[in-house]
Amino acid sequence: MKKFSQLIKTLDGTNKTNVKVAALAEYFTNAPDQDKVWTIAILSHRRPPRPVNTTLLREWASELAHIPLWLFEESYHIVGDLAETIALVVPSDESSTDKSLSAFLQEMIWLKAQSDEDKKAYLYRNWKQLDYYGRFVFTKLITGGFRIGVSQKLMTRALAKATGIDEDILAYKLMGNWDPNTIDFQDLILEEKKSDYLSKPYPFYLAYALENEPESLGDVTEWSFEHKWDGIRAQIIVRNNELFTWSRGEELVTDKYPEFEVFIGRLPNGTVIDGEILPYPNKEIGTFNDLQTRIGRKNVSKALLKKTPVILKAYDLLEWQGEDIRTRPYSKRRNLLEKMVAGQDGIPLFLSEKMEFTSWQEVAEERELSREKRSEGLMFKRKDSPYLVGRKKGDWWKWKVDPLTIDAVLTYAMRGHGRRSNLFTDYTFALWNENEEGEKELVTFAKAYSGLTDAEFRKVDAWIKKNTLERFGPVRSVTPHHVFEIAFEGIAESKRHKSGVATRFPRILRWRKDKKIHEANSLEDLKALIPHTVETE
Amino acid sequence: MPMKKPLLEFTEKGIYCHAAKVYLDPWKPVDKAIITHGHADHSRWGHKQYITHPTNVPIIKHRLGDIEVAGKEWGETFTVNGVKFTLYPAGHIIGSSQVRVEHKGEIWVFTGDYKLENDGVATPYESIKCHTFITECTFGLPAFLWRPQKEVFKDINEWWAQNKSNGQTSVLFGYSLGKAQRLLKHLDPNIGKIYTHGAIENMTDVLRPMIDFPATERITRDTKKEDIKGHMVIAPPSAHGSTWIRRMVPFVTASASGWMAFRGARRRRAIDKGFVLSDHCDWPSLLEAIKEIGAEKVICTHGYTDIFSRYLRDLGYDARTEATQFEGENAELNVETEISESV
Ligand SMILES: [Zn+2]
Ligand SMILES: [Zn+2]
């Protein structure tokens, strides 16, 4: 497993994509074939089921480290990662000899069925023998979830580099259900199959954010406009009576959105549509919160499908009657798309409404309606533009709405993780509200832990340490004193939140040293920002 | 009968001996201050009179300018208003001292910052018997366990040699008082030349009369890029990401600190390599020090104080936490900013 540990260490230690790809490609060239298969499985979330639950892992690790469980838990809280905490606190004699990654994973499959006593003995033996990083990786294999910034896309790129096989073909080969314990590298990756080419998507064309006043784009009638929907950008492919759904990360997500299967038979073979996957509960566009329940789920339950179905809002047509039409002007492609979607009743396929304006002023007014329509702003597309590859300036622009902001009072603080673990950098913010007795009180509405400079964090931290009211484990309540401007992208009503409001991507915009706490906003001010849902269909 | 005041109290201004009217490492200006060592969170501006180990005199003067300061040797007892004070080495950085306070048969020891391992630069820590032990616990968590420095320096020198063979300059970050000299002392000058940032060169110049260090060369405006290539540069952490560092291209960076024990620390700071090397006690050292001293009472100052004192109580010690304004390795990082900006 040394090669695999070294790989994880390299991936974990860098933010540079090219370093990650090079390390993976090197690994996929030199590691034993079956270890490659397991590595692909692990990096594409196909690990074997967890053989030991984390409660037992914590108990046993604290026992082996000769520390009480509460102390282990405190350490875990500060370190922020269970496997890392275990690797740090348990003693080791580093006597291990190298065993392959696949051997370890087979042991873990075996381990699941063993008694607790045998599980404990197995863990003790391995924790003791492995060195620090080996212990970390070994424990991660048990707990699952390497967060090392390797998307399936990035892994596929490295695999393509190592094998010389086209990236999109590899992405297709890796989709669906395959078992790393029974398939070999030859069968999974190397063998050429005819069906591989059917799924191939086109590279997405991405818009730049508008840099100047829209007027600078010239004649408004040369442009088409659409709302910029806040979902998952996707391509839908129907070829040879098969459906493929690709997300913008160029990951194949066909299995995650089974509602699109009905497109087979309804859309002609040789069709590729560029669009946005959107949540559609109660037959209206939902919030990104709704979509979150679908993202990341491999197996979608019937109940979830019913509660949060998705639709595709179609933007553009890239392939028509088996022909690549990306070089035709946008207006022509749009016409073909509109004809194709027209009359398609009863399937989750809708057009993203195309708009035309006679003045830039009208464009600006439409943008103001974005939040109500559950969009992030507007898209501008030049009528005669081809569909380009990647992010290109000139023909497509996005004009997002400004973030929402509100002034809130700092009420609670928690230590950060890792290097920031001795600084209080995770904050809770509150807004004024009138309670039943008519008294004003502060009600929690959001947590935020980014947006200040290191120097500001240090200042706030020092202040918190001197102005703590109460301690609740890692959390401290502080004297209400400081006001911060909080920005967020979206807002929706929520029963799960005490305030009755959920905000999306809250972050600190700035420290309002000029404001006293009574000048902070109220919950009512916040609720006034919730858009009234309007019928969009 | 009025309640007897404790020998040392924790006040607004710092740790205070009422009987002697003396403060230990105070954080607000006072008349008389005993100073454990030269880091900025322990030796601050504005006191009328400073008392410290003679080694620290030039260090503190270098940092704070012309102040009134008296030197006291380790083991040399001096009396203030009937209270006996003695300094003993703390092993944290050069000159760092513990303060032993004795009055009417009662003995307290304040550690300042300390570590048990002999680092070859600081005079090694001595265990001093006392009734009440005031200890730092910057790294008072079982997650912190240091490897012997010999192993760490082997890694550092290998890293340097590897970078050199790749045609890259090694930039190693360490705070300019303490860590920089510890690094300097153990780098292998056979691999290449050692260059320094001005803040580090200035502080090292202050210490050269007392300790033998390998030769260094200050980086100035006239230093040529081609001359530095493949060699070692020791720089304060604040130099990271500055325009100053651009003249080292192509370079790789590393940081030497106790925080590097955390996996995310290096990546968050966008540093290529992390070496776990600290001038504070790790978890086993803290426990070992307390066990050896045999104090009845333990007071924890900076670091993971709540957690560490709770664990000591589990073990049967009479332990508690007192809030101070000492800040451990972070403060030492902040000092860097001050120093490098003033140079
Ligand atoms: Zn210090
Ligand atoms: Zn300190």
Side-chain angles (χ1 to χ4, degrees), chain B residues 37 39 41-42 92-93 113 280 328 332:
Chain B
H37 68 288
H39 281 148
D41 55 329
H42 294 261
H92 168 59
I93 60 164
D113 295 335
H280 296 265
E332 286 146 14

Side-chain angles (χ1 to χ4, degrees), chain A residues 305-341:
Chain A
L305 273 178
K306 205 166 166 213
K307 188 169 173 253
T308 316
V310 297
I311 58 161
L312 186 82
K313 274 261 194 198
Y315 292 135
D316 209 333
L317 188 64
L318 312 186
E319 185 174 307
W320 178 67
Q321 296 182 342
E323 190 194 336
D324 175 0
I325 58 166
R326 289 176 298 160
T327 51
R328 297 191 192 181
Y330 170 70
S331 53
K332 294 268 159 61
R333 298 196 311 270
R334 247 327 269 217
N335 281 341
L336 291 171
L337 177 73
E338 283 166 16
K339 269 186 207 142
M340 186 181 285
V341 178

Side-chain angles (χ1 to χ4, degrees), chain B residues 121-178:
Chain B
V121 180
T123 306
Y125 167 87
E126 278 177 40
S127 176
I128 309 299
K129 296 268 179 240
C130 59
H131 301 106
T132 302
F133 186 54
I134 304 174
T135 177
E136 63 129 333
C137 52
T138 303
F139 293 105
L141 266 197
F144 297 107
L145 177 72
W146 312 147
R147 289 158 63 218
Q149 76 163 14
K150 213 176 135 199
E151 291 177 22
V152 181
F153 278 110
K154 188 168 166 273
D155 288 353
I156 294 177
N157 282 314
E158 279 173 9
W159 171 77
W160 178 13
Q162 181 64 48
N163 297 338
K164 196 180 179 201
S165 72
N166 296 344
Q168 289 172 308
T169 302
S170 304
V171 181
L172 189 51
F173 297 114
Y175 39 85
S176 58
L177 170 59

Side-chain angles (χ1 to χ4, degrees), chain A residues 420 427 450-457 460 484 508-511:
Chain A
R420 279 181 171 178
Y427 306 138
S450 65
L452 293 182
T453 64
D454 276 1
E456 284 173 320
F457 270 129
V460 180
F484 292 84
I508 305 167
L509 202 59
R510 59 200 157 124
W511 187 354

